[in-house]
Amino acid sequence: MDAIEIPDSIRCDLEGKGGIAGIAGSLPADRKIGAIVLVARALSDPVRVKVLFALFMQPMCVCLLVAMTGYAYSKMSYHLSVLKDGGLVCARQEGNYLIYYPTDLGRRVALWTRVTAHPNRC
Amino acid sequence: MDAIEIPDSIRCDLEGKGGIAGIAGSLPADRKIGAIVLVARALSDPVRVKVLFALFMQPMCVCLLVAMTGYAYSKMSYHLSVLKDGGLVCARQEGNYLIYYPTDLGRRVALWTRVTAHPNRC
DNA sequence: AAGCTATTTCAAAGCTATTTGAAACCACAA
DNA sequence: TTGTGGTTTCAAATAGCTTTGAAATAGCTT
């Protein structure tokens, strides 16, 4: 069925898994993959990673984040919206202030990355 | 020192943590944040997430990945290089073939995302 | 060496993400 | 209701990522 040359070291294992089609068929559903991508995109900029960690240590209003980083409000607001889209942070209103804090997922991500991600070789 | 209005619900906690400067000073180092960003970027495209999961199930040469997805070689090669830059996959040469497989970090990421990332509300 | 296959690299094109400053919005106080 | 502070939204400009096909590289076989 797989009319393709396959290196010996792989052919056997691959056939045991149903060939290319078997692998393709066992991949996570597109919805699941989309969710992962959304989270990853939210973390794909150093500004946002910093903000997530900061909020993990202490929920803050936008003005504090702005004071802490020196960025413009509109810039901070944009990055917060990306973090929100990824489901990593959310906000509650308190008087005039919007206080951002990490979601459950945001906290798990912060904990996990703090411990796990490191430059690594092959 | 923090000459800024701060909502009451936060002022106390924040001062206990050394104020804005205290939080900023406890953030992970730039190198660490850069490493996280690199991993996140690698996962920020559905093609790459799919490829990582596929390789997690079965190490494969590029021609198999191409056969499985229908993408052009140059496209697959580009995405593999981004995954490699993020430290999520690496390759061994076998005759004419390059066989890609997940690194340790790649495997941990695949396991973790499979279980953890999901669309979530506030 | 020549020819073949597997893969990467390159540059141009198209597309998406980010930054910026100005304007709009919203909750509260006067 | 008008004013004020905190925040978001918008549009234009910029920067960065992804796709494409063609050309280059690298290992095998003859």
Side-chain angles (χ1 to χ4, degrees):
Chain A
M1 265 301 172
D2 299 335
I4 193 184
E5 296 288 325
I6 295 175
D8 288 344
S9 69
I10 286 178
R11 180 167 23 227
C12 233
D13 285 346
L14 182 59
E15 279 173 10
K17 289 164 186 162
I20 291 176
I23 303 276
S26 319
L27 291 174
D30 283 356
R31 227 177 73 271
K32 172 76 179 176
I33 290 186
I36 294 171
V37 166
L38 225 51
V39 171
R41 264 211 244 288
L43 290 169
S44 68
D45 184 299
V47 173
R48 293 193 290 265
V49 174
K50 235 174 259 182
V51 168
L52 177 63
F53 277 118
L55 294 177
F56 180 66
M57 297 170 54
Q58 168 67 55
M60 286 189 256
C61 56
V62 182
C63 53
L64 276 176
L65 289 168
V66 161
M68 184 175 85
T69 60
Y71 299 137
Y73 269 94
S74 59
K75 182 171 171 171
M76 186 56 73
S77 195
Y78 167 71
H79 286 293
L80 285 168
S81 82
V82 178
L83 282 167
K84 201 155 53 171
D85 289 348
L88 264 37
V89 309
C90 52
R92 64 172 186 270
Q93 186 130 15
E94 234 171 73
N96 228 341
Y97 298 93
L98 262 181
I99 301 198
Y100 279 87
Y101 57 96
T103 59
D104 218 55
L105 178 58
R107 279 185 286 274
R108 271 177 291 153
V109 166
L111 285 168
W112 195 82
T113 55
R114 192 179 273 271
V115 156
T116 293
H118 49 64
N120 79 340
R121 309 278 150 263
C122 210
Chain B
M1 264 302 172
D2 298 335
I4 194 185
E5 296 287 325
I6 296 175
D8 288 344
S9 69
I10 285 178
R11 183 169 18 230
C12 234
D13 286 346
L14 182 58
E15 280 174 8
K17 289 164 186 162
I20 291 175
I23 303 277
S26 319
L27 290 174
D30 284 355
R31 226 178 74 270
K32 173 75 179 174
I33 289 186
I36 294 171
V37 165
L38 227 49
V39 171
R41 260 212 247 291
L43 290 168
S44 68
D45 184 298
V47 173
R48 294 193 289 264
V49 174
K50 234 175 259 183
V51 168
L52 177 64
F53 278 118
L55 294 178
F56 180 65
M57 298 171 53
Q58 168 67 55
M60 285 189 256
C61 56
V62 182
C63 53
L64 277 177
L65 289 168
V66 161
M68 184 176 84
T69 59
Y71 299 137
Y73 269 93
S74 59
K75 182 171 172 172
M76 186 56 71
S77 197
Y78 166 72
H79 287 293
L80 285 168
S81 80
V82 178
L83 282 167
K84 201 156 53 171
D85 289 348
L88 264 36
V89 309
C90 51
R92 63 171 188 271
Q93 187 129 16
E94 233 171 73
N96 227 342
Y97 299 93
L98 262 180
I99 302 198
Y100 278 87
Y101 58 96
T103 60
D104 219 56
L105 178 58
R107 279 186 286 274
R108 271 176 290 152
V109 166
L111 285 169
W112 194 81
T113 54
R114 191 179 272 271
V115 155
T116 292
H118 47 64
N120 78 340
R121 309 278 151 263
C122 210

